[in-house]
Amino acid sequence: MNTDAYKHWQELQVCRPSDVPLATPLTWLAEKHQEHADRLTNRLLPAEFRQEEQGTADDALAVLALREAIRRETDYGRGAHLRDALQLGATWNQAAAALDLTPDEARRLLRAWAEGQRHQYTESEERGEQPLGLTTEQHTAVLALTELADDEPATGQPETGQ
């Protein structure tokens, strides 16, 4: 992201999660969320501590929409970063512990993420758009990770792509 994109982001009014452009950095989401949340909090302070700018319904809606966008981004990130950890040599026991899950729960999470990414790829391809998600080969490679034993690290180079 560049300076112009950041300036556009700062000026963007967010009323629903779909108002957030794809690939918006999580730090930008958190910053905008905090600005709205601060205004909402300000209206609850005793009069002598209040700032001039007080929260409105628009601020409350923005907080809801931004929290949902952050939740979706972090949910998506769980599968993607789980895949990365395993491809880079972490074991299922290590990766599951980082998520506070059992290895089997983490495997289910990765399978569900991979299925969603494969579905996204085929749908975007069918619409004639630049495919996003996992190719057949990438999907197969991710599913192969689920077959590793709990203490077995993956070997070889990580796959690239979504």
Side-chain angles (χ1 to χ4, degrees), residues 57 68 70 72 80 85 113 160:
E68 179 60 17
I70 290 167
R72 290 177 186 182
W113 175 83
T160 57

Side-chain angles (χ1 to χ4, degrees), residues 56-111:
T56 66
D58 287 341
D59 288 305
L61 294 172
V63 164
L64 288 170
L66 288 159
R67 280 181 178 259
E68 179 60 17
I70 290 167
R71 186 195 65 77
R72 290 177 186 182
E73 177 60 27
T74 55
D75 280 353
Y76 167 80
R78 290 177 82 201
H81 296 302
L82 175 56
R83 176 210 48 201
D84 293 344
L86 293 164
Q87 287 178 335
L88 291 168
T91 66
W92 277 106
N93 279 331
Q94 292 170 321
L99 292 167
D100 200 22
L101 299 173
T102 68
D104 286 340
E105 290 169 329
R107 283 183 182 90
R108 282 192 291 279
L109 185 152
L110 187 62
R111 280 188 199 100

